[in-house]
Amino acid sequence: MSDLWNGLYQAFWMVVTLDTDLVEITLRSLRVTLSALLIASLIALPLAAFLSVRRFRFRRATIAVMNALMGLPPVVVGLLVYIVLSRSGPFGVFGLLFTPTAMIIAQVIIIVPLIASIAHQSLRELWSDYHDLLISMNATQSQRVRAILWDGRRALLTAALAGFGRAIGEVGAIMVVGGNIDHVTRVLTTAIALETGKGDFALALSLGFVLIAMAIAVNIAIHWLTRTEQEGRW
């Protein structure tokens, strides 16, 4: 029990004093996750809007597959990315394996279905309200997509924040394609796993505190954006 309290004390002190290793790992985690979030949002949000306004033959099957991919095991994603980026893989010539770029690719694959599915649920309802108006205005397909993307921006930001929360806490795929290399690909989740195995509970707990703080901040942001506690509402 004394080891636990000692670890908590040291972890608190490292957070307060902004320990060098702690800051480095945290900034790398944010850089990788925010890069993945930006790329994933550029893919997922237009896709969600397109599936909301366009009717085509395999639309329902596409939506079903997209929703199913939300539960795609991250370790499997990491394995597939590893195979593709390895020296014997089709993109091995670029030497991306065990780099932050490989980690970003894995995170993008993981969170695109999540962001697209959440965004689609909101945009589908918005499209039902705007359908008659935009059709009567003879709006083109791209104009319809842009219109509901703009008017649904608050819900889309919520979907993006949900993707951020999923990506920042990812460990399986990141460990496989990043390798947890010190000063190169070590991020919050992989560092916590490593330091726990080494018995360095102080650094592991301090990294955990930062990760929890990020998760709480994301949830507060989602809560505020959705305005679920506006006066006069339950």
Side-chain angles (χ1 to χ4, degrees), residues 80-164:
L80 294 176
V81 175
Y82 182 94
I83 293 173
V84 170
L85 298 182
S86 64
R87 289 186 177 182
S88 58
F91 299 103
V93 66
F94 296 107
L96 297 177
L97 196 61
F98 302 132
T99 66
T101 302
M103 300 161 65
I104 291 171
I105 293 172
Q107 285 192 350
V108 167
I109 296 173
I110 291 171
I111 65 176
V112 160
L114 175 65
I115 297 175
S117 182
I118 296 176
H120 176 256
Q121 295 296 325
S122 301
L123 294 178
R124 183 175 59 182
E125 297 177 2
L126 189 64
W127 173 243
S128 65
D129 296 332
Y130 279 65
H131 177 271
D132 294 339
L133 175 62
L134 292 176
I135 293 297
S136 65
M137 294 174 62
N138 199 26
T140 64
Q141 199 76 53
S142 61
Q143 289 173 332
R144 298 172 190 176
V145 169
R146 289 198 300 269
I148 65 171
L149 283 175
W150 174 252
D151 286 344
R153 57 190 179 278
R154 179 178 296 171
L156 299 183
L157 184 55
T158 302
L161 288 173
F164 175 83

Side-chain angles (χ1 to χ4, degrees), residues 51-63:
L51 291 175
S52 299
V53 304
R54 181 69 182 270
R55 298 295 184 270
F56 53 94
R57 185 175 181 181
F58 298 105
R59 174 177 173 271
R60 291 188 176 182
T62 303
I63 295 173

Side-chain angles (χ1 to χ4, degrees), residues 28-41 43 72 74 77-78 81 99-115 163-175 177 185 187-190 211:
R28 186 179 302 112
S29 297
L30 287 174
R31 184 170 64 252
V32 169
T33 302
L34 290 176
S35 299
L37 178 63
L38 176 61
I39 298 171
S41 297
I43 298 172
L72 189 65
V77 173
V81 175
T99 66
T101 302
M103 300 161 65
I104 291 171
I105 293 172
Q107 285 192 350
V108 167
I109 296 173
I110 291 171
I111 65 176
V112 160
L114 175 65
I115 297 175
F164 175 83
R166 171 73 183 275
I168 196 68
E170 175 51 40
V171 60
I174 297 304
M175 187 77 78
V177 302
T185 59
V187 292
L188 285 171
T189 50
T190 58
L211 190 59

